Amino acid sequence: MKLLENTIDRIESLDEEMMSKARERVDNLVKPSKSLGKLEDIAVQLVGITRKINPVIDKKAVIVMAADHGVYEEGISSNPQEVTFAQTLLFPKGLTGVCAIGKVSGANIVAIDIGVKGEIPDDAGVIKRKIKHGTDNMTKGPAMTREEAIQSLEVGIEIVNQETKKGIHLLGTGEMGIGNTTASTAILSVLGNCDPLEITGRGAGVGRGGIEHKVEVIRRAISINKPNPADAIDVLAKIGGLEIGGMAGVMLGAAANRIPVVVDGYISTVAAIIAASIEPKAKEYFIVSHASAEPGARMASDLLGIEPMLNMGMCLGEGSGAALAFPIVEAAGSVIKHMATFDEVGLTI
């Protein structure tokens, strides 16, 4: 709890003076006004985050949190739960979707076992920070204790602190966990004050009961646990997931260390809502990568209040959208660093 509190205390708003200087420079670059659109906004945001007019963001990593869910027992997925374990082992081998995209964008993929069911081998290349072997079945009581939820947030913070010492400049969030769209949709239903039917999708593959059964399971979990929408940690503990807490912790840790963090798709956006609910200033450090194809993604983005950059019809997770968006963020930094102003080239407008 102390690490979480200290991290929250360290989160400051972006540097408005530096952002004003950045906006002035961007507005005077050799181009028509506003012609680079969102790139200009990201460039200004990067300056505000880093407090450097020429932000350096060439060292990148996607932190992938992996965990299982007790609600799997309710038949909400067509995939074997063992997929979480098997897929987690593939991240260090570079064989997953985010790894393939990360090779193009030059991102390191950091896999964390925060709650995978089973024992990951010590030599697998996965960072072992397991809190428990998956959450408890949230249709029968809380998914985890409040202490475990806080611990998941602090694992994310600790990983960011370690990456910061390695000189990381740009972070992305990713996850792996069969059943985590169920937990994410439950969280969004509570924080967005809507019926699960409006936002429930197939995830990685819905169980034989279909969407209707998945909706009923989510409704039951909310009814039994009665999470407090005014307390994001209570919501996380009662109907969330360890990897969702871990990602929210990564976002809080990134903000505390003044590092921009690229949010992946649906599940990552729900984690971002948790993080921003815990400390609203953290949201100033977020860059949302893409609009997930999951039905709840639009509501999640609206609730977070940040428009995604890309619409690729993707819903893989893993941090794949974050890795894909990294070059766009780098391009924004390059614009403010390498483009000349009209004054610098002797032109007047």
Side-chain angles (χ1 to χ4, degrees), residues 25-46:
R25 178 171 178 81
V26 166
D27 287 346
N28 285 282
L29 295 175
V30 283
K31 61 175 179 58
S33 177
K34 312 297 183 186
S35 59
L36 285 176
K38 290 183 180 179
L39 279 181
E40 299 182 20
D41 297 332
I42 295 170
V44 173
Q45 182 184 7
L46 291 174

Side-chain angles (χ1 to χ4, degrees), residues 15-311:
D15 191 314
E16 292 291 343
E17 184 178 349
M18 289 299 298
M19 290 175 73
S20 178
K21 292 178 180 178
R23 176 58 67 187
E24 183 179 359
R25 178 171 178 81
V26 166
D27 287 346
N28 285 282
L29 295 175
V30 283
K31 61 175 179 58
S33 177
K34 312 297 183 186
S35 59
L36 285 176
K38 290 183 180 179
L39 279 181
E40 299 182 20
D41 297 332
I42 295 170
V44 173
Q45 182 184 7
L46 291 174
V47 171
I49 291 171
T50 63
R51 294 175 174 164
K52 296 178 181 177
I53 199 68
N54 295 320
V56 177
I57 49 172
D58 56 357
K59 193 167 185 179
K60 308 170 289 292
V62 178
I63 298 176
V64 183
M65 294 285 175
D68 278 302
H69 294 257
V71 74
Y72 178 84
E73 298 171 0
E74 301 301 313
I76 42 82
S77 177
S78 61
N79 288 290
Q81 191 168 47
E82 292 76 15
V83 169
T84 304
F85 186 97
Q87 191 81 343
T88 300
L89 296 177
L90 296 180
F91 290 112
K93 297 177 181 178
L95 300 176
T96 72
V98 68
C99 296
I101 297 170
K103 291 181 190 298
V104 176
S105 59
N108 186 34
I109 311 301
V110 183
I112 316 295
D113 170 13
I114 194 170
V116 176
K117 190 174 182 180
E119 291 295 344
I120 299 288
D122 292 338
D123 60 354
V126 177
I127 298 174
K128 298 173 70 173
R129 297 304 309 275
K130 193 191 304 290
I131 295 169
K132 59 194 297 183
H133 290 264
T135 52
D136 299 326
N137 187 341
M138 65 182 181
T139 65
K140 298 176 180 177
M144 51 186 144
T145 66
R146 187 177 184 89
E147 290 72 24
E148 288 167 340
I150 291 170
Q151 192 177 349
S152 73
L153 292 163
E154 292 189 335
V155 167
I157 293 167
E158 288 170 1
I159 296 301
V160 171
N161 290 342
Q162 292 173 14
E163 290 297 311
T164 301
K165 292 176 182 176
K166 298 176 185 177
I168 206 74
H169 300 131
L170 180 64
L171 287 169
T173 57
E175 40 64 39
M176 178 63 220
I178 298 300
N180 60 14
T181 58
T182 299
S184 299
T185 302
I187 292 171
L188 185 59
S189 296
V190 171
L191 297 181
N193 191 28
C194 72
D195 185 82
L197 184 60
E198 299 176 33
I199 56 174
T200 301
R202 298 185 60 82
V206 74
R208 285 189 294 178
I211 296 293
E212 294 79 8
H213 174 65
K214 189 173 179 180
V215 168
E216 189 276 328
V217 166
I218 294 170
R219 285 174 177 159
R220 187 159 23 113
I222 294 170
S223 175
I224 287 171
N225 290 291
K226 296 178 174 54
N228 178 6
D231 182 351
I233 296 178
D234 184 66
V235 176
L236 174 64
K238 289 179 175 175
I239 55 172
L242 292 159
E243 80 278 42
I244 297 170
M247 288 191 294
V250 166
M251 297 172 200
L252 293 171
N257 284 286
R258 304 197 73 87
I259 296 172
V261 58
V262 181
V263 178
D264 189 32
Y266 179 51
I267 300 162
S268 290
T269 303
V270 171
I273 294 168
I274 293 285
S277 298
I278 293 170
E279 175 43 72
K281 291 193 295 292
K283 189 168 74 170
E284 300 175 26
Y285 295 78
F286 301 169
I287 300 168
V288 180
S289 61
H290 76 112
S292 169
E294 277 292 310
R298 179 72 265 173
M299 174 178 278
S301 295
D302 289 346
L303 190 58
L304 182 62
I306 304 176
E307 187 71 19
M309 287 190 289
L310 304 170
N311 191 340

